[in-house]
Amino acid sequence: MLDHVSDTHTGDHRDARAPGLAALAGLVADETRAACLLALLDGRAWTAGELARHAGVAASTLSEHLGKLVAGGLLAEERQGRHRYVQLLDTRVAQLLEDLAAQVAPDPARRPRGLRATTAGSAMARGRTCYDHFAGRLGIALTDGFTARGLLSGAGRREERAAGFVLTEAGARWFAGNGIALDRTTRRPLARACLDWTERRPHLAGAAGAALCRHALDAGWCVRIGSQRAVKVTPAGERALAELLGIEAAALR
C-alpha cells in the first residue's frame, strides 16, 4: 500500500509546466536581475553599461545576469559596435512584470530617504511609462477621462473591472478621429486593465494604451524627465487633454 501511494506522487504526474515556471521564478528571484527588469519597463533599450550603473554592480557581473535573462526568454539583445543593447522581449513579458510588481508595491508608510529619492518618487507617482503605456496619476486621469466620455467600459463597478477594459465603438472612433492608429495586426487586446502600484487602481494598457502613449510623446503632449520612467505633461498636452478628454490640468500636475 505504501509503495502504491508513493507511485502516485512521482514526477510522472507532475504538471509539465512546473520546470518552466520554476526556471522563470529563478530568473526573477535575483535582486540585480529584478532591478534590471524593472528599469526596462520604461519600454526603451538600455546598454549593458547603463544597466550596470543602475543596478550598482560591475559590468562583468551585469553581463552574466543579462546572459541568463536573454537565454531565459525575458530579454532581447542587439549589438551595435561596442555596445550591447537589451530590452524586454515583448509585451507579454512586460505584462508579467507589471502584474508581479503590483503585488509587491512599496509600503506607503515607508517614505524614501533623501531629497533626490523623494523627488524621483513624486515624479513617478505623478506620471510614468509602464512599458508602453501611461501609469501613475496621469494613467488614472486618462482612464477616467475615457470612461466618463463612454470611450472605455469596464472601469466602473468592481464586477466590471474584474472582466477588464473594453474599448467601445465610440472609443475606436475617437482614436481614428484624432489620427491615432491602433495596431490590430496582433492578438494583443485593444484595451487591458493594468493594476497601478502607486494608485492601487487599474489604468489603461493594451494596444489602445500603447497608441495613446506613443502619440502623446511624439506630439509633445508629454516628455520624459530624468533617467527613470517618469514623464510630465507639457502645457500643450494639458490643453489637448482638456479639449479631447475633459481632463483638468490640476489632475495632471
Side-chain angles (χ1 to χ4, degrees):
M1 176 64 72
L2 290 177
D3 289 341
H4 174 71
V5 171
S6 177
D7 288 343
T8 62
H9 289 79
T10 62
D12 293 340
H13 298 277
R14 184 180 299 169
D15 193 312
R17 298 169 297 178
L21 180 59
L24 175 62
L27 285 173
V28 181
D30 180 88
E31 189 170 343
T32 296
R33 292 196 290 271
C36 293
L37 291 169
L38 289 174
L40 290 168
L41 272 176
D42 70 353
R44 295 178 289 183
W46 288 48
T47 67
E50 290 170 337
L51 282 174
R53 289 190 293 272
H54 174 78
V57 298
S60 57
T61 300
L62 195 281
S63 180
E64 181 179 348
H65 285 299
L66 292 184
K68 292 180 179 180
L69 291 171
V70 171
L74 295 183
L75 298 185
E77 71 173 333
E78 180 179 345
R79 294 185 181 273
Q80 293 185 8
R82 297 184 299 105
H83 294 294
R84 178 190 190 186
Y85 289 88
V86 293
Q87 60 187 137
L88 298 183
L89 183 65
D90 54 27
T91 57
R92 293 178 302 170
V93 173
Q95 180 179 337
L96 171 66
L97 294 173
E98 290 167 2
D99 291 342
L100 287 174
Q103 303 306 313
V104 292
D107 184 350
R110 296 182 59 185
R111 298 183 180 277
R113 296 181 179 179
L115 178 60
R116 177 177 296 182
T118 300
T119 302
S122 297
M124 289 277 283
R126 181 178 62 243
R128 63 185 182 277
T129 52
C130 189
Y131 187 57
D132 61 359
H133 56 274
F134 288 126
R137 292 197 299 275
L138 170 59
I140 296 300
L142 291 168
T143 301
D144 289 344
F146 272 95
T147 303
R149 297 205 165 194
L151 310 178
L152 185 70
S153 66
R157 301 193 307 271
R158 179 178 301 177
E159 59 270 24
E160 291 177 326
R161 291 200 301 269
F165 293 163
V166 175
L167 189 69
T168 65
E169 291 184 7
R173 290 195 299 270
W174 185 92
F175 275 89
N178 288 290
I180 305 176
L182 292 172
D183 184 2
R184 299 176 182 268
T185 63
T186 67
R187 298 176 60 183
R188 187 182 188 186
L190 284 178
R192 182 179 69 82
C194 178
L195 182 61
D196 197 299
W197 60 265
T198 54
E199 299 300 304
R200 306 301 176 94
R201 290 179 52 198
H203 57 244
L204 174 63
L212 180 61
C213 179
R214 183 169 56 250
H215 181 83
L217 290 170
D218 290 344
W221 294 356
C222 297
V223 293
R224 298 183 185 274
I225 55 176
S227 60
Q228 300 298 311
R229 294 187 280 150
V231 298
K232 73 174 181 179
V233 181
T234 65
E238 290 181 354
R239 292 191 295 270
L241 295 179
E243 177 184 348
L244 298 175
L245 293 172
I247 300 175
E248 296 183 2
L252 304 173
R253 297 173 180 170

